[in-house]
Amino acid sequence: MSAPAGPGEAGRWTWAYEGYDPAQERLREALCTLGNGVFATRGAAPEAAETDGVHYPGTYAAGVYNRLTSHVDGHTVENEDMVNLPNWLPLRFRLTAWDAGAGTPPGPWLTPDTARVLSYRQTLDLHAGTLVRRMRLADPEGRVLRVTQTRLVSMDDPHLAALRTEFTAEGFGGELEVESGLDGDVRNSGVARYRLLDSRHLTSWRTGTARRSVLWLDCRTSHSAVRVSLAARTRVPGARSVVPRSRSGERAAVQWLRVPLTDGATVAVDKTVALHTSHDAAISDPLHAAVDRARRAADFGRLLAAHRDAWQHLWERAELEVPGEAGAILRLHLFHVLQTVSPHTAQLDAGVPARGLHGEAYRGHVFWDELFVLPYLNLHFPEVSRALLGYRHRRLDRARLAAADLGRRGARYPWQSGSDGREETQTLHLNPRSGHWLPDHSRLQHHVGSAVAYNVWTYAQVTGDLEFLHGAGAEMLLQVARFWADSAEWDGDLRRWRIRGVVGPDEYHDAYPDAERPGVDDNAYTNVTAAWVLGRALELYGDLPAQRREELADHLALAPDEPERWEELSRRLHVPWHHGVISQFEGYGDLAELDWAGYRARYGDIRRLDRILEAEGDTVNRYQASKQADALMLGYLFPAGRLAALLHRLGYPFDEDIWRATVEYHLRRTSHGSTLSSLVHGWILARTHRAESWEYCREALLGDVADVQGGTTPEGIHLGAMAGTLDLVQRGLTGLDAEGDTLRLDPAPLPQLSEFDLSVRYRGHWGIRLRLEGGRLHIGVPVSSQAPVRLELGGRTVAVPPGGAYIMDLPDT
């Protein structure tokens, strides 16, 4: 699998970039981000203290948002953003002469942008969780300085980060001036199309120096009033005579060290940083906590050792071995997933940011991407899944208010969520191709509620966590069901219930051509998942212990006839069809056909077809053209048998031939303007059109590392797509499906992914091994005191006891 130019060199446990390329710097920064689930910092050069069009230092903490109001093009726009926090990285250096004190001026600050670069290599070490940068720089006088920097954001202590910089003079001796600082003069300016909006989120800066030369910076967000405090300790190990000089400014604090250099000898400068916010638990004051933590932190070597040990434990729980370049990319994806939602995240009130903690695209909001992330986490880090579902449960009251605003019972979760669960979807968005600000109706993607309910159910099936399912889980699932029940309208002509005025996962179609109101009717994905939610709500309500059922009915003010309505709707919701296939929404088949070949010839890349058509004065609403999988998402969520049962329950004929025809129809009419599109199509094609699947799986793997969407990855990685590729191997190709007390397996390996070795956590069993090799699937259950694992595979049901194994021969394909 050969990636396009610029994606980096993939080793088994490393991701490396050779040479300095300013044009690729922001992509590298995103892909070399380091984090621990509490905060993350982009892989920007420490000497790039300011945003300069090449570099973009950014540090983001999970759940830290701020709201600003902007005035753009005659409109008032309010947005809540994940805040770019003060930059802890700044560390720059320059050579001086031994007699600098006698008046010799220092040389220029040495950076790859200002010096002659003799060599440059940047390596992300996935196993150790470090970013290592090696470079040889020559100053204007020809003096060569070798520099090695090792950076970590501690997975052991989630409030610490550290940077070691090692300097070696080649062929000269002298003195090095090192400047280390904390910079609070930062904005959210990492996304070009947001730059007309107000971006100054921090205010009330204070700086200073504490005992033992610990620099500190304290500020707060302007609206949400979250205090953010950093403290930094910069030292030269083994050189107590090198004492830093400090200066505190209004928004930044700086220290200088003068470090002697001897020809061929290496000297290190260690910077250790603590970051706390007022969201943190068990602290009284974030500034005191940061200064105390920075002062007490171990030396760099011990911090690094503890950090590596913590990563080792994560890799053991998330074990995944796939040969070749695909395996290297999957490991990189896993690294970024674990940096965004780690076990430390389980202690926070935070959701799943669609673009990770890696940049400012989508404003750090929480969409439906947990639908692609939690299925992976359920089988490795269920405590993190439960915590992320807790984020949704804590915002259930806000979702109830959103439903009430529409005159409905139940809960309407927002398409974009941030700090408090209100709808954060913008009312206007910019088309960068035309420069037009356009109405944004994507808040009508009410199907996000079904994603929340689906995640509740699947988490409980994998873990057997009835305490959660009967408690917070039941409250969420039943409230989403109530919203769907109140959203449906009876159509006497169709003799069906209908859900009108929505937007589906496609996102392109937000209205009918020339319609006055936004939304489309009976989006198939929306209606079928709503029917599924209603059915699960009915099942769950009936299974609750009588006391809990009565308690929940009182708490939700559940009317006696509501479960009967759920039953009716779960069997009578309308699903549109045309030409013998599932239609994307009612009337989709009546839209015009697009000249796909003509548009590709004219524009080349037509992934963002919506922007192209709008810039032409047209609209995608007129055409049978989808941004990403919509109706076909049903095949991603539900195995074939379960999807057939759902549609049969709704009274529709459905078989393998109908599904294949539906896949073929919609696949031809999709522009793949989302990284999720290739993932979902690769997943479903592995079952229906195996020969075509790898093309899409390959694009899903390359999506971020090669920036397939053209300039989007520098603004933040696509977390759902990354986690989805892991789940493609874990569940898609194995057919792994947990339902009740049975683990089902229905392998469908691809020739290009025909060998893999992974382990999963299922209920009380840690480390069930699934190994595909030589056309055989080996299932091993680790030794424990748990009951046997009940497996259903190849038409057989077997019970594998702890310490036992089962081998399944796969049919030839």
Side-chain angles (χ1 to χ4, degrees):
M1 181 178 66
S2 178
E9 301 171 16
R12 185 170 182 269
W13 283 103
T14 58
W15 197 261
Y17 295 97
E18 188 71 40
Y20 178 67
D21 183 355
Q24 291 291 314
E25 192 66 9
R26 292 207 177 186
L27 174 62
R28 296 178 182 185
E29 290 174 354
L31 293 174
C32 291
T33 293
L34 296 180
N36 55 28
V38 173
F39 77 96
T41 297
R42 287 167 60 89
E47 68 273 8
E50 301 176 0
T51 56
D52 54 11
V54 175
H55 308 281
Y56 191 73
T59 292
Y60 311 94
V64 175
Y65 293 93
N66 191 59
R67 191 177 304 279
L68 293 174
T69 300
S70 306
H71 302 281
V72 180
D73 200 23
H75 301 280
T76 299
V77 180
E78 181 182 286
N79 287 297
E80 184 178 65
D81 292 75
M82 181 172 69
V83 178
N84 183 16
L85 302 182
N87 181 15
W88 65 267
L89 287 174
L91 190 142
R92 58 182 181 170
F93 46 88
R94 58 186 172 183
L95 294 167
T96 65
W98 278 115
D99 60 348
T104 303
W109 297 111
L110 294 179
T111 77
D113 296 299
T114 61
R116 185 159 54 95
V117 180
L118 303 179
S119 66
Y120 188 97
R121 185 174 178 84
Q122 181 170 308
T123 304
L124 185 65
D125 185 330
L126 307 178
H127 195 269
T130 58
L131 178 61
V132 179
R133 195 167 65 132
R134 293 182 171 89
M135 53 188 175
R136 293 176 67 241
L137 305 175
D139 76 351
E141 297 180 22
R143 293 175 294 183
V144 176
L145 186 67
R146 186 166 72 245
V147 183
T148 301
Q149 289 184 316
T150 304
R151 180 189 312 182
L152 65 89
V153 173
S154 179
M155 191 61 78
D156 175 62
D157 183 331
H159 298 286
L160 286 178
L163 173 69
R164 164 165 283 185
T165 307
E166 297 172 288
F167 302 98
T168 306
E170 297 187 1
F172 74 98
E175 190 173 68
L176 186 74
E177 181 180 355
V178 177
E179 179 185 276
S180 174
L182 298 171
D183 182 10
D185 192 15
V186 298
R187 298 172 179 262
N188 276 50
S189 56
V191 179
R193 60 188 175 279
Y194 301 165
R195 288 178 187 162
L196 293 177
L197 305 174
D198 192 359
S199 59
R200 176 72 77 184
H201 290 280
L202 299 178
T203 187
S204 303
W205 298 268
R206 295 184 299 146
T207 64
T209 305
R211 286 190 303 113
R212 299 183 186 174
S213 300
V214 173
L215 280 183
W216 59 264
L217 184 152
D218 182 70
C219 57
R220 66 173 177 83
T221 56
S222 61
H223 179 83
S224 55
V226 179
R227 278 189 61 198
V228 181
S229 302
L230 292 86
R233 182 189 73 197
T234 305
R235 294 177 177 173
V236 178
R240 293 188 178 181
S241 61
V242 179
V243 179
R245 295 180 295 112
S246 303
R247 185 184 71 192
S248 298
E250 180 187 357
R251 301 179 183 183
V254 180
Q255 287 180 327
W256 292 272
L257 300 89
R258 300 183 79 86
V259 181
L261 295 177
T262 303
D263 183 15
T266 298
V267 61
V269 175
D270 291 345
K271 181 177 184 178
T272 304
V273 177
L275 188 157
H276 275 281
T277 78
S278 52
H279 280 180
D280 295 340
I283 65 169
S284 62
D285 176 73
L287 178 57
H288 177 270
V291 170
D292 187 59
R293 192 174 295 268
R295 183 186 294 133
R296 294 175 183 270
D299 61 40
F300 184 86
R302 285 187 290 168
L303 287 177
L304 178 59
H307 172 68
R308 283 174 167 165
D309 286 346
W311 266 108
Q312 178 62 32
H313 293 311
L314 292 184
W315 289 122
E316 288 169 356
R317 288 179 62 179
E319 193 171 1
L320 173 66
E321 290 290 339
V322 176
E325 189 179 7
I329 295 174
L330 285 165
R331 198 171 285 109
L332 177 72
H333 287 183
L334 178 52
F335 180 75
H336 285 300
V337 170
L338 294 179
Q339 292 195 121
T340 307
V341 283
S342 80
H344 296 302
T345 312
Q347 309 304 316
L348 306 177
D349 179 27
V352 178
R355 304 298 286 273
L357 300 174
H358 297 61
E360 294 159 13
Y362 299 173
R363 308 186 185 284
H365 290 168
V366 178
F367 292 69
W368 70 332
D369 296 73
E370 62 214 59
L371 189 62
F372 302 88
V373 176
L374 264 61
Y376 177 80
L377 294 176
N378 290 341
L379 290 157
H380 299 276
F381 302 94
E383 74 279 15
V384 180
S385 290
R386 179 166 173 160
L388 294 169
L389 290 168
Y391 167 88
R392 292 296 193 179
H393 183 251
R394 285 185 288 275
R395 287 151 183 81
L396 181 59
D397 283 346
R398 176 68 73 168
R400 288 177 53 250
L401 293 174
D405 288 343
L406 297 176
R408 303 173 195 175
R409 291 173 294 187
R412 181 185 75 80
Y413 278 99
W415 175 236
Q416 296 187 34
S417 179
S419 60
D420 61 11
R422 76 181 79 174
E423 180 61 79
E424 299 293 353
T425 303
Q426 63 270 24
T427 56
L428 295 171
H429 70 269
L430 175 68
N431 179 355
R433 182 177 285 271
S434 68
H436 297 156
W437 287 87
L438 307 167
D440 191 319
H441 301 301
S442 58
R443 66 186 57 229
L444 297 176
Q445 293 192 70
H446 300 329
H447 62 80
V448 66
S450 293
V452 173
Y454 181 91
N455 285 327
V456 166
W457 185 262
T458 54
Y459 163 79
Q461 299 307 304
V462 169
T463 62
D465 188 350
L466 292 181
E467 187 272 334
F468 174 82
L469 182 62
H470 291 171
E475 293 177 16
M476 288 187 281
L477 202 152
L478 266 62
Q479 290 286 39
V480 173
R482 298 179 85 193
F483 175 75
W484 287 131
D486 270 17
S487 298
E489 304 172 6
W490 178 252
D491 187 314
D493 294 332
L494 287 176
R495 307 296 296 170
R496 289 274 181 181
W497 293 93
R498 307 184 66 183
I499 298 177
R500 301 178 183 272
V502 300
V503 172
D506 159 44
E507 294 187 325
Y508 274 177
H509 295 89
D510 63 358
Y512 288 102
D514 303 318
E516 293 185 2
R517 70 170 177 88
V520 297
D521 299 336
D522 301 309
N523 172 259
Y525 173 83
T526 300
N527 286 16
V528 173
T529 56
W532 179 86
V533 171
L534 290 158
R536 295 291 72 75
L538 197 64
E539 179 182 344
L540 175 57
Y541 190 64
D543 287 346
L544 289 173
Q547 181 178 347
R548 173 57 177 157
R549 184 165 55 248
E550 181 180 343
E551 177 182 279
L552 191 59
D554 287 346
H555 176 64
L556 302 183
L558 200 65
D561 64 342
E562 285 191 69
E564 295 177 12
R565 182 171 170 83
W566 301 346
E567 171 76 24
E568 161 77 7
L569 287 164
S570 72
R571 296 182 180 275
R572 301 295 297 278
L573 272 173
H574 177 52
V575 179
W577 298 72
H578 73 276
H579 304 324
V581 302
I582 300 174
S583 195
Q584 187 165 302
F585 51 82
E586 187 62 44
Y588 183 80
D590 298 329
L591 300 179
E593 291 283 10
L594 184 78
D595 179 8
W596 291 90
Y599 271 86
R600 287 193 176 99
R602 194 181 320 167
Y603 291 99
D605 185 349
I606 60 168
R607 295 173 195 274
R608 291 311 305 264
L609 185 62
D610 57 332
R611 293 174 176 174
I612 291 171
L613 289 169
E614 191 278 329
E616 291 183 343
D618 203 347
T619 172
V620 75
N621 285 329
R622 295 182 53 237
Y623 300 99
Q624 295 184 51
S626 299
K627 175 184 177 183
Q628 58 189 326
D630 192 295
L632 300 190
M633 267 295 297
L634 295 170
Y636 182 83
L637 292 191
F638 305 116
R642 194 167 303 147
L643 179 56
L646 259 173
L647 288 164
H648 291 159
R649 179 183 174 90
L650 285 164
Y652 294 102
F654 187 78
D655 57 26
E656 184 178 330
D657 290 338
I658 291 173
W659 180 239
R660 286 179 65 89
T662 299
V663 170
E664 291 169 2
Y665 187 92
H666 289 293
L667 184 59
R668 293 196 301 269
R669 295 166 174 81
T670 302
S671 71
H672 306 291
S674 162
T675 54
L676 293 172
S677 187
S678 54
L679 166 69
V680 173
H681 284 96
W683 182 296
I684 61 177
L685 289 171
R687 302 277 169 177
T688 63
H689 299 72
R690 189 163 173 258
E692 300 174 35
S693 175
W694 175 243
E695 174 188 350
Y696 295 95
C697 293
R698 176 183 179 275
E699 181 165 307
L701 288 168
L702 294 174
D704 274 325
V705 301
D707 194 17
V708 167
Q709 293 289 329
T712 62
T713 302
E715 302 168 348
I717 54 99
H718 298 81
L719 193 70
M722 282 190 168
T725 60
L726 301 170
D727 204 33
L728 170 69
V729 177
Q730 174 179 269
R731 292 192 309 128
L733 301 185
T734 64
L736 188 153
D737 179 41
E739 185 76 15
D741 62 352
T742 302
L743 200 59
R744 296 181 175 86
L745 290 162
D746 180 21
L750 298 175
Q752 299 86 351
L753 289 171
S754 59
E755 292 186 8
F756 50 79
D757 190 351
L758 58 91
S759 65
V760 298
R761 181 174 165 186
Y762 173 65
R763 304 208 166 181
H765 297 275
W766 287 54
I768 295 176
R769 188 162 225 88
L770 303 176
R771 179 164 55 89
L772 183 67
E773 185 178 41
R776 308 178 98 190
L777 181 64
H778 302 250
I779 303 108
V781 178
V783 174
S784 73
S785 60
Q786 298 293 318
V789 175
R790 180 182 169 90
L791 297 176
E792 184 180 304
L793 30 70
R796 297 186 56 195
T797 301
V798 297
V800 182
Y806 185 84
I807 298 175
M808 176 183 183
D809 290 311
L810 305 187
D812 293 332
T813 55

